Amino acid sequence: MQLVRPIAPEAVLHAASEGVKRFLSAGDRRLAVLSGSSKGEQWRERVFLLGIKPVIGGIPLEKAAMAVGWRFLVRDGSGEFAASYVTEPLRGGRPRLVGISHGKRLGPYFDASERIEGIALAQTQTERHQLRTLTIPCLLIEAFWLVPESGESGFIVPFISMIPEFANMPVLTVENFLETCKPLAEDRQAADDHIRPVAGMSYGWPPK
């Protein structure tokens, strides 16, 4: 299976490189890496958000998942990780940088972005697949969504999850992935119905 990584529009790249200058001081070493003025390993991911109700209702993923933005993952020469998040605007709007994070907790995200290439090559499918990142915040799931260019149902490769079936980045059909998620989403919805949300609580994107 050949992966096609997303190409960020120029407006998104500009928002990412210029936006960090408002978040970080001139002496911060992360500034040079995140703005692109210094060399570093980088992965660019287009992020799609899936809410809890579509999972429960069985809405097809291609209709339910919403493009929300881009994540730029960077590892500098010293091995430090950083990430920036750019929102994808509605029609007519401008992309903007909305957050920066750093530290070792980004390591699994970076490692997964490296591993997905080998995982895809090990598959028998010959068709090209677009690489997307799928986040389901209410279930604490992050996964790669491999979308075939033919438009047929693709595959999901979870890389952040507390669900045992999703350990070690298995390659699942979209249908099998959502079937596993559905009862967990139903349990979460039932629990949320009995809990008053805490002020400031958010299950959206980008992560807080």
Side-chain angles (χ1 to χ4, degrees):
M1 179 191 298
Q2 180 182 353
L3 288 184
V4 180
R5 288 188 177 269
I7 299 176
E10 284 298 324
V12 170
L13 295 175
H14 180 78
S17 62
E18 293 299 315
V20 294
K21 297 175 183 178
R22 298 194 302 270
F23 278 81
L24 302 174
S25 62
D28 195 316
R29 68 180 185 180
R30 295 169 297 173
L31 177 59
V33 178
L34 286 172
S35 64
S37 61
S38 176
K39 290 184 178 180
E41 299 177 81
Q42 185 179 101
W43 297 111
R44 299 169 181 172
E45 301 175 353
R46 192 181 185 198
V47 181
F48 289 74
L49 176 71
L50 183 62
I52 192 169
K53 291 184 178 179
V55 176
I56 296 173
I59 299 175
L61 184 57
E62 61 274 13
K63 293 183 179 180
M66 177 176 62
V68 290
W70 293 78
R71 175 164 56 207
F72 295 83
L73 288 164
V74 178
R75 179 168 58 193
D76 67 15
S78 65
E80 295 293 325
F81 297 102
S84 57
Y85 308 91
V86 176
T87 56
E88 188 159 319
L90 298 175
R91 185 175 300 178
R94 292 183 179 181
R96 64 187 183 92
L97 185 82
V98 293
I100 290 174
S101 57
H102 64 95
K104 293 181 179 180
R105 70 184 185 87
L106 292 172
Y109 293 83
F110 197 96
D111 292 344
S113 292
E114 289 185 320
R115 287 184 59 194
I116 190 61
E117 293 280 354
I119 291 173
L121 287 173
Q123 307 307 305
T124 58
Q125 293 81 7
T126 58
E127 186 178 359
R128 286 156 50 102
H129 285 64
Q130 296 178 2
L131 180 63
R132 300 175 178 177
T133 298
L134 182 70
T135 180
I136 311 179
C138 61
L139 297 180
L140 304 179
I141 292 174
E142 294 261 357
F144 291 117
W145 178 13
L146 314 182
V147 183
E149 293 188 337
S150 66
E152 297 180 359
S153 181
F155 300 90
I156 300 292
V157 183
F159 61 89
I160 298 291
S161 173
M162 299 178 66
I163 302 172
E165 293 91 332
F166 295 164
N168 300 316
M169 296 181 68
V171 179
L172 309 168
T173 65
V174 168
E175 292 77 15
N176 286 344
F177 171 75
L178 293 176
E179 183 179 339
T180 302
C181 289
K182 183 176 180 178
L184 302 172
E186 291 173 338
D187 290 345
R188 180 56 187 265
Q189 183 68 71
D192 284 353
D193 288 342
H194 292 84
I195 299 176
R196 176 176 295 181
V198 176
M201 180 182 292
S202 173
Y203 297 128
W205 191 90
K208 302 299 183 182

